[in-house]
Amino acid sequence: RCKAGFGMDVAAIGLGDDIIGKGPQQPFFALWSGEWRGNNSDKRFTGVFDRATHPIYRAYVNGAKHYDFIMISLLSPLASSLGLKGPIDGTRMMRLNNDYLLAFFDQHLRGITSPLLGAASPAYPEVSFEVR
């Protein structure tokens, strides 16, 4: 039913071996905080990434934490002191989220090609990016 999927800082630990074995059946983008790189969830997702038969993207945002993917940093000045956000500026993080989401869905649902999905972007040097 879904023509494309986008996950923001999602855990891949719960993915079954059947899903990992066949990979996603549609284009998929996984956008993670840098702190997820190399953890067990990331390792599990590597199996999905390596077996994908449709376009698949994996990106890590250095300086982001889990709650940076929602608007908590814009809603409360206490987010930093409570350890709920990384050092990345909240407004920049929301712009980054929006740009990658729109680029992905525009390209895979509307057929509008985006250079943002081709390789790492100089506009977002804090993003480590892979496409397959």
Side-chain angles (χ1 to χ4, degrees):
R1 294 185 315 210
C2 296
K3 293 185 180 184
F6 195 106
M8 285 196 232
D9 220 37
V10 296
I13 293 292
L15 293 177
D17 290 337
D18 58 326
I19 292 172
I20 291 173
K22 65 181 178 180
Q25 302 303 298
Q26 63 276 88
F28 189 80
F29 196 120
L31 182 63
W32 280 306
S33 54
E35 63 188 3
W36 283 70
R37 185 189 307 274
N39 73 7
N40 288 337
S41 185
D42 185 36
K43 290 174 185 170
R44 190 115 176 110
F45 185 78
T46 296
V48 174
F49 189 82
D50 290 345
R51 290 174 183 84
T53 57
H54 295 276
I56 190 164
Y57 309 83
R58 174 168 53 185
Y60 304 91
V61 183
N62 297 316
K65 285 191 170 186
H66 185 67
Y67 289 107
D68 283 305
F69 291 87
I70 59 173
M71 295 193 323
I72 195 165
S73 62
L74 301 177
L75 299 175
S76 174
L78 297 175
S80 290
S81 59
L82 295 172
L84 297 176
K85 68 172 290 349
I88 192 167
D89 176 72
T91 301
R92 179 161 179 80
M93 186 64 189
M94 289 301 103
R95 187 172 30 251
L96 183 153
N97 278 338
N98 290 340
D99 287 352
Y100 277 98
L101 272 166
L102 286 173
F104 176 75
F105 286 120
D106 277 350
Q107 184 162 313
H108 293 288
L109 297 181
R110 299 174 70 205
I112 302 169
T113 303
S114 173
L116 194 58
L117 298 181
S121 172
Y124 293 110
E126 63 271 70
V127 176
S128 302
F129 183 87
E130 295 174 76
V131 60
R132 187 170 136 45

